[in-house]
Amino acid sequence: MSLVTIIDYGSGNLRSAANAFERQAALMDNPPGILVTADPEKVRVADRIVLPGVGAFADCAAGLNAVPGMRDVLEERVIRAGTPFLGICVGMQLLATEGREKAITPGLGWIEGAVVHLTPSNPSLKIPHMGWNTLAIQKAHALLAGIPEGLHAYFVHSYHLHTDRPGLTIATTDYGGPVTAIVGRDNIFGTQFHPEKSQALGLALISNFLTWTP
């Protein structure tokens, strides 16, 4: 049986994410195991890796760095071995070169760019951006296969990843201007929105991830 690990590094309640992955896995003929873990050795043997995250960039980066060996295992499995990887919300933001929330904090550096504050052109739009938005797909991707246009994704954030390489932006949404919704390259995929809370769109994306072979 294959294994999907959802990394627990002290960033929020992971139960809703695990429930969504377990629900979609149960629909498969040969369902993978879904494991929430803070053990780098469990991540080392995983067939797919999920990095969630809620809260401030610096706090999440510190939490990830505080798990002995986790950064090294992620580099080994995701960058060198090409294991399929999904970052969610701040877990997606951590892919960036750096975060600029209160202070400059280094990220994983897998997606060139910085996590910057949202600056909607309409001053009546509140920060944080919280609610349902449709996606504007910038380029096709296997994780979006079979997902019709017009479905809504659920966002809760005050910052987004502004990449230095536009080709790494897979989808945007509009909140007083374009906001990065999905980034990715090779075996790496990240969503600013929460797939586990995004109903039909999110569950379809999770299902695609569970069978994705980059």
Side-chain angles (χ1 to χ4, degrees):
M1 181 174 66
S2 63
L3 176 65
V4 178
T5 55
I6 301 173
I7 298 176
D8 180 3
Y9 59 107
S11 175
N13 179 9
L14 306 181
R15 194 63 251 165
S16 62
N19 286 343
F21 278 83
E22 290 167 357
R23 171 181 171 180
Q24 297 313 106
L27 301 176
M28 301 170 63
D29 291 335
N30 296 297
I34 308 297
L35 177 66
V36 177
T37 182
D39 183 351
E41 294 308 312
K42 300 292 186 183
V43 177
R44 178 173 276 117
V45 299
D47 300 282
R48 287 173 174 79
I49 299 169
V50 180
L51 183 69
V54 295
F57 184 102
D59 292 342
C60 288
L64 187 63
N65 291 336
V67 181
M70 188 64 79
R71 283 285 298 265
D72 290 340
V73 166
L74 285 173
E75 289 285 338
E76 172 191 327
R77 298 297 300 150
V78 179
I79 300 303
R80 296 196 288 276
T83 304
F85 173 93
L86 173 63
I88 297 173
C89 196
V90 182
M92 171 266 224
Q93 293 180 3
L94 289 173
L95 301 176
T97 307
E98 64 184 29
R100 298 177 182 172
E101 184 174 355
K102 297 181 181 178
I104 294 178
T105 304
L108 291 166
W110 299 347
I111 299 286
E112 296 95 324
V115 175
V116 297
H117 198 266
L118 292 175
T119 55
S121 59
N122 182 346
S124 69
L125 293 174
K126 296 181 180 180
I127 302 296
H129 168 212
M130 181 182 301
W132 297 88
N133 288 73
T134 56
L135 304 180
I137 306 302
Q138 306 299 308
K139 58 188 294 186
H141 194 282
L143 293 196
L144 300 176
I147 300 177
E149 294 184 13
L151 295 180
H152 288 73
Y154 185 73
F155 291 81
V156 183
H157 63 123
S158 300
Y159 291 76
H160 74 132
L161 200 170
H162 179 77
T163 178
D164 297 332
R165 293 176 57 190
L168 301 183
T169 301
I170 294 170
T172 60
T173 193
D174 181 78
Y175 195 68
V179 172
T180 303
I182 302 174
V183 295
R185 67 174 181 87
D186 308 320
N187 57 304
I188 298 168
F189 192 91
T191 66
Q192 180 60 67
F193 58 90
H194 287 268
E196 75 279 10
K197 297 180 181 179
S198 295
Q199 299 181 354
L201 185 157
L203 293 177
L205 190 152
I206 289 170
S207 289
N208 286 339
F209 177 72
L210 293 176
T211 60
W212 182 34
T213 304

